[in-house]
Amino acid sequence: MTSIETDVLILGGGPAGLWAAVSAAAAGARVVLVDKGRCGSSGPTVYGTTVLWDIPPGPERGDAVERAFARGGELGDRAWLHRVIEETHQRLQTWSGTRHRVPDPTGDPVRVHFDGASYLRRLRRGALEAGVRILDHHPALQLLVDPTGTVVGAAGIQHHNKFRPWSIRAGAVVVATGGCAFLSGGAGTEVSTGEGLLMAAEAGAELCGMEFSSAYGLAPVLSRVQPHPTVAPGLAVHFATLYDEAGNELPDRYPAALTAIADGRRVFAALHEVPDTVRHWLSRHGAIDAAGRVPVRAVLEGTVRGAGGLALAAPDCSTTLRGLFGAGDVTGRQVVVGAAGARDGLDGAWALASGSWAGRGAAAFAVANERASSARAVPGAGLGPHAHIDPRSIVGLVQEHTLPLRRSYRRSAGSLADSIAELDSMWPGAQFDLGGLGVQQLRARQAAALLAVARWAGYSALTRTESRGIHRRIDHPDAHVDWRVRLRCGGLDEVWVRREPGPEPLGGELTAATSVTV
C-alpha cells in the first residue's frame, strides 16, 4: 500500500480542485491532489468552452446579482453572489492563460471565454509550479476519520498500477469530485458519477438542494456510428439559435426547447451559427439533416448543472463534517444559483471562487488543529471483496428512473413515489451485495453512488410541492411563497429531508482571497 502524509488533500482534478490546490499551496500548505482520471484531461470542462463572469465593481455588478437572484427563484444569497463575482474578478486579474471577452447580446454581464482543455492544462501547470503533488488515475473510494469523526484523509486504489491501494493522511480534505450526471452520455460526464457525495454522506455530511438535480442539456442527434461519449460535442449546439419543426424560433431557448422535446416535438439548431470545426464534426457523424438543420436531443446533466450537492456550513466552504471542505459541482450551489441551473458563466465562476475559498480554508484548518494519531476508513456501500449482484443492473434501474424527461423534467407525486419505492428496494442489495476487486470494485462503488444520489434527489423532489426553477411538478405547477425555503437531506438506509428557514444573508466582510498568479 502507498501511504502519504500531507497538509491538504484534494479529491478531484477539475477546475475547482485545481483552484483549491493552488490556493492551499499559496497559503503555505503541502498539497496532494488525486484524480479519478488524468488531472487536466478529463471531465466535462475538457469538451467545450468554459465561461466565467468577470464583472468589475460598479452598477453592472449589482444588476447581475439581481438578475441571478430573480432567475434562481429568490433562493440564492446576494452576499454570496457578490463574493463569487469579486473573487473571480480578482483572480482573473493575474490570469496568464489565453482568453477572449464576448459581450452577451441579451445584456447580461460581460463574460470571459476559455477553451476548456487549454484552461485545464494551464491550471494543472500552475498547480505543479506551486509545488502541488498530483496523482493521476487514483480514484478515492472512502474517507478517513479520526476518533472524533473529523475527516483526516482518504483511501482508494491506483487504476494504472494493478489497482494497488493507497492511503493519504491529511490535516484537511477538499472534495471536488464534481456532480452526478447518471451516465447520461453527456460530453465528459462519464466521470461525474457521485462518489464524492456518497463518501461524504457515509461519514455524516448533509446535502442540500437535491431536488434541483433535473438540469438537462442539448446534444446533437447522431444518425451514424455513435462515438465514445467522451468525444460527443455536448456543447456543439449551445451557441446556436433553436427552432421547432415549423421553423419558428424558440424563445427562452433551453426551457422552450426542453418543453417541446418533452411534448414529442422535434427541435433543431441553426447550423450557420455553429463553429466551423464543430460543423465538420457534425457532418461526419450524420447530425445534419437534408434541410441543413441539426436535430437535438435532451441529455440529463443532473447535479453537474443543477444546484444540489454537499451543504456548506461557512464562507470558507467547510461542509457540515469537520475537516471536510467542498468546491465546485459537488457542493450545493443554491447560495448562488438558487433554483436555477448553473449556466451562463456563473458555474465557471463558482468553480474558481469556491475552489479558492476551500483551498485556503483547508490550509488554515490544517494549521490550527492538532492531528490525531489514529484514523479509520469509513465503511461504504459496494466495497466488499465479493460481487453477488451485477452493478449494471443497478445502473440500469437508476437510469430508468432518472434519464427520461417524464421522470426528471416533468415530475409528479405518483411518478416520484414509484421511483423512490423501486430505488429503495435496491439499496440493501447495493449496500451488501455489490463489491469485487480492481475495476469491479470501481464499478460497484460507482453504481452505489448513482443509486444514492437518485434516492436523495427523489425524496427531495417529492417533498417540494411546487414548481420553481428547474424543479417542475405537473401536479403543483406554480411557485408558492411558502416554499421560498431550502431543503436539507441525507441518510443512507433511511433518507431524510427537512425544511430550512428562509435564506439569510451571509453577512461579514466581502473580500477576495489572497491573490495568486496562475
Side-chain angles (χ1 to χ4, degrees):
M1 174 182 287
T2 300
S3 298
I4 300 172
E5 284 204 17
T6 189
D7 296 324
V8 175
L9 171 62
I10 313 289
L11 307 181
L18 285 165
W19 278 110
V22 170
S23 182
R30 296 174 300 157
V31 183
V32 174
L33 183 150
V34 298
D35 194 359
K36 187 178 184 179
R38 184 184 185 279
C39 170
S41 301
S42 64
T45 301
V46 175
Y47 301 97
T49 299
T50 294
V51 185
L52 293 88
W53 278 4
D54 185 16
I55 311 170
E60 190 177 41
R61 181 179 289 186
D63 293 342
V65 166
E66 291 305 316
R67 282 195 296 269
F69 184 73
R71 188 165 55 244
E74 300 184 351
L75 286 186
D77 188 305
R78 292 182 178 91
W80 275 92
L81 281 162
H82 276 288
R83 289 184 76 226
V84 169
I85 295 173
E86 175 64 14
E87 184 73 38
T88 306
H89 178 67
Q90 292 294 333
R91 295 284 183 182
L92 289 179
Q93 301 311 299
T94 59
W95 175 259
S96 58
T98 303
R99 61 180 176 175
H100 63 277
R101 295 178 179 271
V102 179
D104 191 273
T106 65
D108 271 358
V110 174
R111 299 179 177 92
V112 176
H113 290 233
F114 298 95
D115 171 70
S118 300
Y119 179 57
L120 276 178
R121 285 196 299 268
R122 183 66 191 92
L123 282 174
R124 178 187 172 106
R125 189 161 63 249
L128 291 172
E129 291 169 354
V132 176
R133 182 178 181 182
I134 296 178
L135 302 177
D136 296 316
H137 307 292
H138 277 59
L141 296 178
Q142 53 198 142
L143 295 177
L144 306 179
V145 297
D146 69 10
T148 68
T150 300
V151 176
V152 293
I157 56 178
Q158 304 175 45
H159 195 282
H160 66 304
N161 190 17
K162 299 181 180 179
F163 302 99
R164 183 179 179 182
W166 59 262
S167 176
I168 300 177
R169 290 285 301 274
V173 176
V174 177
V175 57
T177 51
C180 180
F182 302 103
L183 294 177
S184 61
T189 60
E190 77 286 348
V191 297
S192 303
T193 46
E195 289 94 326
L197 295 172
L198 179 59
M199 284 190 291
E202 287 170 339
E206 297 181 358
L207 300 96
C208 68
M210 292 302 294
E211 68 271 34
F212 304 116
S213 58
S214 54
Y216 280 85
L218 298 174
V221 176
L222 307 178
S223 61
R224 296 179 187 163
V225 177
Q226 295 282 341
H228 191 276
T230 60
V231 299
L235 299 181
V237 299
H238 289 195
F239 302 100
T241 303
L242 301 173
Y243 299 90
D244 63 14
E245 295 171 323
N248 300 313
E249 182 178 341
L250 294 174
D252 203 17
R253 300 187 69 237
Y254 268 79
L258 292 173
T259 298
I261 294 172
D263 289 338
R265 293 180 284 140
R266 300 181 73 191
V267 173
F268 303 87
L271 182 62
H272 68 278
E273 297 181 12
V274 175
D276 288 342
T277 54
V278 175
R279 190 182 310 168
H280 295 153
W281 191 97
L282 294 172
S283 178
R284 289 199 309 272
H285 289 85
I288 302 175
D289 67 9
R293 303 172 301 183
V294 181
V296 298
R297 61 188 176 93
V299 178
L300 182 63
E301 295 176 326
T303 66
V304 173
R305 293 288 179 263
L310 295 177
L312 299 179
D316 62 358
C317 288
S318 56
T319 68
T320 56
L321 197 58
R322 180 175 165 82
L324 185 68
F325 297 74
D329 295 347
V330 77
T331 60
R333 285 152 287 169
Q334 280 184 290
V335 288
V336 289
V337 302
R343 296 186 181 276
D344 301 327
L346 189 51
D347 52 338
W350 174 251
L352 183 158
S354 63
S356 300
W357 298 331
R360 184 176 60 170
F365 184 92
V367 170
N369 292 273
E370 184 176 349
R371 303 182 192 181
S373 58
S374 62
R376 65 175 179 86
V378 178
L383 293 175
H386 305 291
H388 301 289
I389 57 176
D390 191 333
R392 291 176 295 183
S393 63
I394 293 179
V395 173
L397 177 69
V398 170
Q399 291 182 325
E400 177 186 340
H401 289 279
T402 54
L403 300 190
L405 288 164
R406 71 180 187 278
R407 292 290 189 181
S408 292
Y409 183 71
R410 289 179 171 169
R411 293 162 162 170
S412 67
S415 67
L416 287 167
D418 173 64
S419 295
I420 288 170
E422 292 209 35
L423 296 171
D424 279 352
S425 68
M426 184 61 78
W427 178 252
Q431 191 171 24
F432 299 110
D433 295 331
L434 276 175
L437 300 175
V439 69
Q440 288 77 23
Q441 187 177 48
L442 289 177
R443 291 171 180 165
R445 192 64 165 149
Q446 177 178 276
L450 292 173
L451 179 58
V453 175
R455 294 173 70 223
W456 293 321
Y459 273 95
S460 298
L462 182 61
T463 301
R464 184 175 287 276
T465 53
E466 65 156 1
S467 293
R468 187 183 297 266
I470 62 174
H471 169 68
R472 297 171 180 85
R473 289 280 298 266
I474 59 176
D475 50 349
H476 297 281
D478 300 319
H480 298 287
V481 66
D482 291 345
W483 274 107
R484 202 179 75 86
V485 295
R486 300 175 187 155
L487 296 179
R488 290 278 183 98
C489 71
L492 295 164
D493 295 337
E494 294 185 6
V495 175
W496 56 265
V497 181
R498 72 167 185 264
R499 290 168 60 122
E500 291 288 308
E504 297 180 359
L506 172 67
E509 187 178 0
L510 304 178
T511 57
T514 304
S515 179
V516 295
T517 301
V518 178

